[in-house]
Amino acid sequence: MSRVLLAVNAGSSTLKFRAFAPDGRQLLARGMVDRFGQAKPELQLLDGKGQTLSRHALDDGGRANAIAAVINSLADQQLEPLAVVHRVVHGGGRFTAAVRLDADIRAQLEDYVALAPLHQPVSLSVISAFEEYDARLPQFACFDTAFHAQQPEVATRFGIARHWHDDGVRRYGFHGLSYAAIARRLPELGLDRAKVVVCHLGSGASACALDAGRSMASSMGFSAVDGLMMGSRPGYIDPEVILYWQEQAGMSVADVRRELYKNSGLLGVSGLSSDMRELLASDLPAAREAIELFCYRVAREVASLAAAMKGLDALVFTAGVGEHSPEVRGRVLQQLAWLGFEADQAANLAQARRLTTAASARAAYVLPTDEEGEMARQAAALLQ
């Protein structure tokens, strides 16, 4: 039996996991539980090269049963968890690096449920499920907010009364594990000392300004609903819209939260889907409008983040849409042509790493994100 470092990324309906060698570098297996915590869940396990090892339905929809099924499926491949590392969305102002979990730290993480009401409870429930399965198994947490913890003070503030900021109502930034993974690879492109905007474009979307690999500003702020338009989240929205919904439409806090997290974004504008692939395949005018708005917001945010860094050398696309949609990348680069991005259409369509011509004043690239790999490397450092 080989010992592995198990990186777990829990969402509202999926549980993604990857098994790494104890040093956090070599990927040995990966998988997912679809419909996690819901009826008729299904577990799929692949080896490190992406070949399917097993796929089967689970008898019980409970999260504890899913955790046991994940560990048993790994055991069938002679893999046994040495430790588990979790992606936790919110670490607030306290947790700015990976930590080993204990009862005290878990209690502190409960304080941030109000700041990430859709994400934090799921992570905490999965941590509890692993503890119930084996209380001796070491568990670690890596935080999506941690990478942004060293942003300049001015980038963290809202224009509200000081006491609110002191109480934690401020900009935090998210997708930090993705940005940390990209920052780790920037030297490969000769961009380790450069001013770079990274666009993490997926169902959840954000952008981040990196100056010499350090986060200087992020599109997401107090919550993961802020910034760019996303699959079902609106991104930036005038706060008066919220008051209008409550006062004129009689919507409750729960109604508003559902509207913001589940009924907006690409889904809300198109009336069709939150999936960019479906929208790109559609001839509906509303679908085309949703795509146009998505790309417009991305291009606008890139320019804003360039202003925050007082310059821009390169652009990097990552995550599901950023890595796999030439049309979205092409539209964004077209809108940024005035900034000196000259797109290489053939390279973009061919999914090449560099998306701009040799003569382009500024370069654009595609890099695959690796949140679970980043988690494993951070946890491995603590284990050692």
Side-chain angles (χ1 to χ4, degrees), residues 196-213:
V196 181
V197 170
V198 181
C199 295
H200 176 108
L201 307 181
S203 178
S206 67
C208 182
L210 300 183
D211 191 348

Side-chain angles (χ1 to χ4, degrees), residues 2 14-15 25 36 68 100 103 114 134-135 139 146 164 169 205-206 218 237 254-255 296 319 345:
S2 300
T14 60
L15 178 77
R25 298 182 182 278
F36 178 57
R100 180 166 179 168
D134 185 353
Q139 297 196 71
W164 290 115
V169 182
S206 67
S218 172
I237 188 169
D255 292 335
Y296 166 81
Q345 300 299 341

Side-chain angles (χ1 to χ4, degrees), residues 204-266:
S206 67
C208 182
L210 300 183
D211 191 348
R214 176 183 174 185
S215 175
M216 302 301 291
S218 172
S219 63
M220 282 183 170
F222 181 68
S223 75
V225 78
D226 196 14
L228 302 180
M229 189 174 83
M230 305 173 222
S232 60
R233 288 172 264 174
Y236 294 126
I237 188 169
D238 187 332
E240 194 67 32
V241 173
I242 310 298
L243 300 178
Y244 178 86
W245 285 341
Q246 293 179 315
E247 294 175 350
Q248 303 302 319
M251 293 170 66
S252 67
V253 171
D255 292 335
V256 169
R257 181 166 285 130
R258 188 178 308 109
E259 195 71 19
L260 290 174
Y261 281 91
K262 300 296 184 181
N263 299 331
S264 298
L266 293 173

Side-chain angles (χ1 to χ4, degrees), residues 122-294:
V122 175
S123 298
L124 294 175
S125 71
V126 172
I127 291 168
S128 297
F130 270 99
E131 184 176 41
E132 290 173 9
Y133 184 86
D134 185 353
R136 299 166 299 174
L137 190 62
Q139 297 196 71
F140 298 86
C142 293
F143 304 95
D144 256 352
T145 50
F147 183 72
H148 306 294
Q150 294 184 342
Q151 285 183 357
E153 179 74 11
V154 69
T156 70
R157 284 192 173 273
F158 293 116
I160 56 177
R162 180 171 292 273
H163 72 88
W164 290 115
H165 180 86
D166 295 341
D167 287 343
V169 182
R170 44 155 290 188
R171 301 184 65 86
Y172 291 97
F174 298 90
H175 289 144
L177 291 165
S178 176
Y179 294 125
I182 296 299
R184 191 184 293 273
R185 296 192 61 187
L186 289 181
E188 298 175 17
L189 305 175
L191 298 175
D192 45 317
R193 306 302 301 174
K195 297 178 186 293
V196 181
V197 170
V198 181
C199 295
H200 176 108
L201 307 181
S203 178
S206 67
C208 182
L210 300 183
D211 191 348
R214 176 183 174 185
S215 175
M216 302 301 291
S218 172
S219 63
M220 282 183 170
F222 181 68
S223 75
V225 78
D226 196 14
L228 302 180
M229 189 174 83
M230 305 173 222
S232 60
R233 288 172 264 174
Y236 294 126
I237 188 169
D238 187 332
E240 194 67 32
V241 173
I242 310 298
L243 300 178
Y244 178 86
W245 285 341
Q246 293 179 315
E247 294 175 350
Q248 303 302 319
M251 293 170 66
S252 67
V253 171
D255 292 335
V256 169
R257 181 166 285 130
R258 188 178 308 109
E259 195 71 19
L260 290 174
Y261 281 91
K262 300 296 184 181
N263 299 331
S264 298
L266 293 173
L267 174 62
V269 176
S270 71
L272 174 65
S273 176
S274 62
D275 191 321
M276 181 62 77
R277 293 167 297 186
E278 291 187 39
L279 299 183
L280 289 169
S282 173
D283 292 328
L284 290 176
R288 293 197 297 270
E289 186 176 28
I291 297 167
E292 181 182 8
L293 181 57
F294 182 88

